[in-house]
């Protein structure tokens, strides 16, 4: 609370704006540095705000990281809702959804380490993660699967099994990128590799669930 | 080295036997307790050996865990070699291989956390993991894919993309099992769920790579 009184910047910008700026600065630094170990001072400097505001808005760095994951999850779920409601063949929705997951992992490589950290840090975090992200995600995936099945485009697929196998397939190249230099002589995942991987995963799963 | 001189047990059993007993005791305790945090004292007690022998054979607990992973990887690669050479349709080899990965993850749930720990603990470990496990595994998977393609059973599949997507799909249910109770009301992965998951992943991938 000291930050509230002592920071002249905080009065100069609306609440939502400086909160959003801190989240966006965190996202940028996590992408640039490819690690979750980014200091609050660096985040505040990037956002051009007093670092005391992190405590004020988020409680702690873990609170900030959780809020960032919620921000990104909310955006992803909003896009998926639009896709569910869109006027297009359900199989095309499935294709766009899976490719979209891989694009998200490529552009925001901190999402998986963050989810891992939440899953590993106790049952409360796993519960919270399930509520704000996994349950809504599975419900929306289930709607697309139902639409595709009703349209006769795929066989009956259990949404739970679909969720774990699809997210696992999409995620593993990025999660295991530390092995790429040694196993394949590839230094980093570039746009070309991310796109090849997306084509492979999309094609395998779409062929895999067709009738 | 102190342990060598002070342990009467060590002279009483042949070298390979006590080394293997320590590995097997570690494997059993990791499975039973579902965590990598098992003490050397407990491991030694299970093996009925002096805990100083861990230092003698493996240097440290991390050395013991690495040796355990190598033991399990060696067994898995030996089975896969037999499968590559077996006289059966290549598509059936692919089916048995993928189902076998999931069975291994179900029976030895410590393998993935161990691999994660190795990947996360620096480039030397990622290199070593690539050499003793990932590179041989990809080469063998590549042989099965070539056989299946030559037999006209599947389309041309890049072994690298196949490796990451297949292992990722096989692994994710087990890796994310902390979310099962909250997202699906399922307390633990039992034999039925492991088998359903294997059927789903095998069926999706086999349909997915077919011509």
């Amino acid at each position: 609370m000291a930050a509230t009184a002592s920071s002249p910047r905080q009065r100069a910008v609306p609440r939502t704006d400086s909160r959003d700026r801190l989240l966006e600065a965190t996202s940028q630094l996590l992408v640039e540095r490819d690690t979750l170990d980014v200091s609050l001072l660096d985040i505040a400097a990037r956002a051009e705000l007093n670092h005391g505001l992190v405590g004020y808005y988020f409680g702690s760095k873990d609170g900030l990281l959780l809020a960032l994951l919620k921000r990104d999850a909310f955006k992803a779920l909003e896009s998926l809702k639009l896709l569910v409601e869109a006027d297009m063949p359900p199989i095309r929705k499935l294709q766009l959804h899976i490719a979209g997951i891989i694009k998200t992992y490529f552009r925001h490589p901190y999402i998986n380490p963050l989810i891992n950290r939440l899953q590993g840090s106790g049952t409360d975090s796993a519960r919270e993660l399930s509520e704000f992200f996994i349950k809504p995600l599975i419900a929306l995936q289930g709607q697309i699967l139902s639409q595709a099945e009703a349209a006769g485009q795929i066989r009956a697929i259990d949404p739970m099994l679909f969720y774990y196998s699809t997210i696992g397939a999409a995620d593993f190249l990025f999660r295991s990128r530390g092995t790429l230099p040694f196993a394949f002589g590839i230094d980093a995942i570039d746009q070309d590799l991310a796109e090849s991987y997306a084509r492979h995963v999309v094609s395998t799963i779409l062929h895999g669930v067709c009738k």
Side-chain angles (χ1 to χ4, degrees), chain A:
Chain A
M1 284 307 202
T4 321
S6 67
S7 166
R9 284 186 180 278
Q10 207 221 341
R11 294 216 181 94
V13 289
R15 180 182 187 283
T16 52
D17 184 57
S18 44
R19 189 179 187 280
D20 289 351
R21 272 164 60 193
L22 285 168
L23 290 176
E24 184 52 30
T26 308
S27 173
Q28 288 175 9
L29 288 172
L30 293 179
V31 170
E32 286 167 22
R33 301 195 185 162
D34 199 18
T35 167
L36 299 182
D37 292 325
V38 173
S39 79
L40 294 184
L41 284 175
D42 287 354
I43 291 168
R46 172 66 61 99
E48 300 183 346
L49 291 167
N50 186 307
H51 74 274
L53 288 177
V54 171
Y56 177 71
Y57 287 129
F58 305 105
S60 65
K61 188 176 157 195
D62 273 356
L64 171 65
L65 293 176
L66 178 62
L68 176 62
L69 187 60
K70 284 186 177 171
R71 182 198 77 160
D72 291 348
F74 182 79
K75 279 189 203 167
L77 293 171
E78 284 301 302
S79 302
L80 187 53
K81 268 179 214 163
L82 291 177
L83 192 61
V84 168
E85 292 157 8
D87 181 22
M88 67 172 79
I91 195 82
R92 171 84 179 133
K93 297 183 186 183
L94 210 50
Q95 179 189 354
L96 290 173
H97 169 54
I98 300 168
I101 296 170
I102 294 175
K103 193 184 284 182
T104 302
Y105 286 159
F106 176 59
R107 293 199 181 150
H108 298 278
Y110 59 82
I111 289 182
N112 278 317
L114 259 184
I115 288 177
N116 277 341
R117 183 145 142 178
L118 277 178
Q119 282 185 359
S121 61
T123 49
D124 280 351
S125 299
R127 179 184 292 115
E128 196 169 359
L129 179 69
S130 299
E131 292 300 328
F132 77 74
F133 191 42
I134 300 177
K135 282 163 85 166
L137 175 58
I138 291 162
L140 291 166
Q141 285 182 336
Q143 285 187 52
I144 298 184
L145 291 172
S146 296
Q147 291 173 359
E149 192 191 343
Q153 295 174 323
I154 65 168
R155 55 198 167 85
I157 299 286
D158 180 321
M160 180 177 84
L161 304 178
F162 179 85
Y163 164 77
Y164 284 110
S165 56
T166 301
I167 299 293
D171 147 309
F172 197 67
L173 174 70
F174 302 94
R175 184 191 296 275
S176 297
R177 65 189 184 283
T179 58
L180 274 171
F182 309 114
F184 298 100
I186 292 173
D187 285 338
I189 301 172
D190 61 11
Q191 180 102 15
D192 274 355
L193 176 54
E195 285 174 4
S196 298
Y197 195 64
R199 277 194 302 274
H200 171 78
V201 172
V202 166
S203 156
T204 302
I205 295 177
L206 287 193
H207 278 88
V209 297
C210 279
K211 289 185 103 164

